[in-house]
Amino acid sequence: MMIDLPVLDIVQEPETTPKSVESNGRKLYVETYGCQMNINDSEIVLSIMSGSGYEITDKPDNADVILLNTCAIRDNAEKKIHERLMHLKYYKKRNKNLVVGVLGCMAERLRAGLVSEKNIVNIVVGPDEFRKVPQLVEDAIGGQSGIAVKLSRVETYDDIVPLRTEGISAWVSIMRGCDKFCTYCVVPFTRGRERSRSFESIVSEVRGLWESGFKEVTLLGQNVNSYFDEPLQKDFADLLAACATAVPQMRFRYSTSHPQDMNDKLIETMAAFKNICKYVHLPFQAGNNRVLEAMNRTYTIEHYYERIDKIKEVMPGCAITTDVIVGFPTETDEEFEDTLEVMRRVRYEGAYLYKYSPRENTKAWKMGDDVPDSLKGSRLEELIKVQRAITWEVNALEVGNIHEILVEGPSKKNPADWQGRTDTNKVVIFPHNEHSGYIVGDLITVRITQGNSAVLHGEIL
Ligand code: 5AD
Ligand code: SF4
């Protein structure tokens, strides 16, 4: 179950610098925090920096440049970065010439404050200014700290091929920014206005990924349903269909959808292609219409239910997950009950559950933070309890079902077993032996033998 996984610490373990670029002898280490978009952003930064001659290292110990790509969505995400910066003091003591940079959403939010505050940070770079990183690092080596935090209406890094780690799953950003302005959310301020990449460049990137061995692509955007290629007049459903057609053997996922824009065309497109995974992440945030309005979510819970019913009608068996915030300003106990009601009615396969965290500059910031932390905590606990029971129940119903899974490799818990993922995004553990004849990245068929836990177990057919 996906309970409160707000900030995944994902440390890049990148490939080495492309051979064609002459090395400048300096080593770069990048650490990534936050959402999937940030993983892809770090790959863009790695690409830019290796193009300037940096060698990529997977350890901070011997790096000449350490960059943290950061998240600002909740206060605890930022706290983590502050703590990490304190650790980096140790590296600075050992290497006086070390350049430390803060990139991404927190850089955009805190700007110059980050440099003056800690005496650790040399450069601060917002999400639309990654092209300036090589010059800013160069200046920092010369003793000049630098800040680049301008947001752009056009930057999509469309021409930059992200430097990906080897693997079978790739993230592809199809748009940047967000225009929704949910009142609790800092993203429109840290990532700026919404803009889409060109249709053709995305389809050609996806083709290239298949050719270099990737088996699964997740198309990313803050609200992918708003994707639009103006010159070609193509929307997100068109893009998904074009990708699925261009590489029929590749699996496609996407994230995230907004309930207001989750239209019939998209649902029907998903149903029409076998290689578009039957998995929808559809955050509802709160179950009460007054709270939804205060959040500026622009839909009612009745509209949300109608969309869920449509998904279930057109794609029976489609897995649905969600995001929920508890303790939004002025949320009463009765209004929180409405959130519980949605969880019980929809029966999600999993949910990311968060306590409301006030963010400066947002509209909700001005509403105060009147739900005490202890009450947010008990509401969260209740949601976790309800969702855990539902996850286990829906997983128990999987026993006997047949799934095609994408083989990922040894199971994290017990490497003697292997694991793969269903197109509904569930992990299946299965017994492995070296004579079984499959390799990582193969699609194999399994029957589910056990489902009474957070993950499924299966046998190969
Ligand atoms: N406090 C708590 N959760 C938040 N989210 C976004 N902003 C906040 C905030 N200020 C959650 C929403 C969103 C997910 C990515 O993070 O549920 O869908
Ligand atoms: Fe934030 Fe709302 Fe945009 Fe999602 S849709 S990034 S919650 S403003």
Side-chain angles (χ1 to χ4, degrees):
M1 183 167 45
M2 296 166 288
I3 297 299
D4 194 18
L5 281 178
V7 222
L8 304 171
D9 285 7
I10 300 137
V11 177
Q12 299 295 122
E13 287 180 20
E15 291 172 293
T16 49
T17 310
K19 301 280 177 290
S20 56
V21 178
E22 207 176 308
S23 167
N24 64 13
R26 296 189 199 124
K27 290 197 169 62
L28 165 71
Y29 170 73
V30 177
E31 220 168 78
T32 308
Y33 296 80
C35 64
Q36 298 157 348
M37 294 276 303
N38 270 10
I39 303 177
N40 193 232
D41 276 1
S42 288
E43 292 167 344
I44 288 168
V45 173
L46 289 169
S47 174
I48 293 171
M49 291 297 275
S50 68
S52 292
Y54 285 84
E55 281 175 36
I56 315 298
T57 167
D58 58 5
K59 284 178 206 70
D61 308 74
N62 58 351
D64 303 290
V65 180
I66 297 180
L67 302 177
L68 307 185
N69 191 10
T70 61
C71 173
I73 195 113
R74 280 168 291 275
D75 190 49
N76 56 7
E78 289 196 3
K79 279 201 178 112
K80 270 195 178 174
I81 310 288
H82 286 299
E83 279 165 22
R84 185 64 178 138
L85 285 173
M86 296 319 284
H87 281 133
L88 293 184
K89 252 189 175 163
Y90 158 81
Y91 294 102
K92 276 230 147 168
K93 270 200 194 122
R94 283 198 330 185
N95 172 8
K96 293 243 166 348
N97 298 322
L98 175 70
V99 172
V100 171
V102 176
L103 273 48
C105 288
M106 193 173 155
E108 191 63 48
R109 203 179 83 73
L110 297 177
R111 302 177 169 211
L114 276 168
V115 180
S116 48
E117 190 187 326
K118 299 234 175 331
N119 250 337
I120 302 170
V121 179
N122 303 99
I123 67 165
V124 177
V125 189
D128 285 347
E129 297 262 51
F130 294 148
R131 288 178 203 268
K132 292 193 181 147
V133 174
Q135 187 58 52
L136 287 163
V137 169
E138 201 62 48
D139 295 346
I141 290 166
Q144 177 71 47
S145 294
I147 296 172
V149 287
K150 244 173 92 184
L151 288 170
S152 159
R153 285 185 177 267
V154 291
E155 179 63 273
T156 60
Y157 302 110
D158 213 18
D159 55 316
I160 294 173
V161 180
L163 185 62
R164 294 189 167 87
T165 46
E166 279 173 49
I168 52 169
S169 295
W171 313 105
V172 174
S173 298
I174 61 163
M175 58 196 298
R176 301 183 70 84
C178 183
D179 284 352
K180 287 287 179 194
F181 286 96
C182 301
T183 56
Y184 51 78
C185 187
V186 78
V187 168
F189 304 96
T190 59
R191 285 190 167 269
R193 297 286 60 73
E194 191 177 280
R195 66 220 98 114
S196 297
R197 271 180 66 186
S198 87
F199 191 88
E200 284 137 340
S201 81
I202 297 167
V203 177
S204 98
E205 183 173 345
V206 161
R207 271 206 194 92
L209 285 168
W210 176 257
E211 278 153 22
S212 45
F214 287 90
K215 308 290 181 192
E216 184 177 72
V217 161
T218 305
L219 303 176
L220 294 176
Q222 245 67 45
N223 171 22
V224 290
N225 314 98
S226 300
Y227 174 86
F228 199 66
D229 180 303
E230 205 62 59
L232 297 182
Q233 294 286 296
K234 301 271 194 198
D235 66 10
F236 179 62
D238 298 328
L239 177 70
L240 201 51
C243 290
T245 308
V247 197
Q249 306 94 318
M250 183 87 100
R251 267 186 174 186
F252 290 94
R253 304 182 183 281
Y254 65 89
S255 189
T256 295
S257 301
H258 191 289
Q260 190 203 348
D261 307 325
M262 183 80 207
N263 58 31
D264 288 358
K265 181 178 171 188
L266 175 56
I267 298 171
E268 277 148 20
T269 303
M270 287 181 73
F273 289 87
K274 190 171 173 286
N275 60 331
I276 301 179
C277 291
K278 303 300 175 277
Y279 168 69
V280 177
H281 181 65
L282 199 61
F284 74 95
Q285 312 296 2
N288 177 272
N289 283 337
R290 188 196 68 83
V291 177
L292 284 174
E293 198 177 336
M295 288 177 161
N296 189 33
R297 287 293 286 177
T298 67
Y299 54 84
T300 61
I301 205 64
E302 290 74 27
H303 170 84
Y304 184 84
Y305 280 140
E306 194 270 324
R307 292 293 78 199
I308 293 285
D309 290 346
K310 181 77 186 178
I311 293 167
K312 289 186 173 176
E313 176 202 322
V314 177
M315 296 180 286
C318 179
I320 306 174
T321 58
T322 198
D323 291 347
V324 180
I325 297 174
V326 297
F328 184 79
T330 72
E331 183 189 64
T332 65
D333 285 341
E334 292 73 40
E335 288 166 340
F336 169 66
E337 284 296 320
D338 292 340
T339 294
L340 276 171
E341 171 60 23
V342 179
M343 308 284 286
R344 293 197 185 102
R345 180 161 158 186
V346 178
R347 296 177 64 75
Y348 296 97
E349 324 283 328
Y352 296 88
L353 309 170
Y354 306 110
K355 285 193 215 171
Y356 169 70
S357 168
R359 310 313 288 138
E360 223 169 333
N361 288 326
T362 60
K363 269 203 172 155
W365 173 263
K366 296 180 201 90
M367 298 177 199
D369 184 19
D370 63 342
V371 179
D373 191 58
S374 57
L375 190 51
K376 286 180 192 166
S378 58
R379 286 180 188 169
L380 187 70
E381 281 303 311
E382 201 166 350
L383 278 187
I384 291 173
K385 220 170 73 200
V386 167
Q387 183 54 44
R388 183 168 290 146
I390 293 170
T391 302
W392 286 38
E393 281 162 28
V394 294
N395 280 353
L397 291 174
E398 290 272 8
V399 174
N401 286 353
I402 310 247
H403 280 284
E404 196 171 54
I405 61 168
L406 181 63
V407 176
E408 291 179 347
S411 148
K412 281 171 197 123
K413 272 202 183 139
N414 174 12
D417 291 337
W418 274 33
Q419 71 174 47
R421 208 169 280 265
T422 67
D423 86 334
T424 51
N425 211 25
K426 292 187 183 183
V427 172
V428 181
I429 313 277
F430 55 93
H432 169 72
N433 73 62
E434 58 225 43
H435 310 297
S436 348
Y438 53 77
I439 55 167
V440 171
D442 279 354
L443 284 170
I444 60 171
T445 307
V446 295
R447 181 189 292 119
I448 305 304
T449 52
Q450 195 191 322
N452 53 349
S453 69
V455 294
L456 303 173
H457 291 260
E459 60 187 4
I460 301 172
L461 291 183

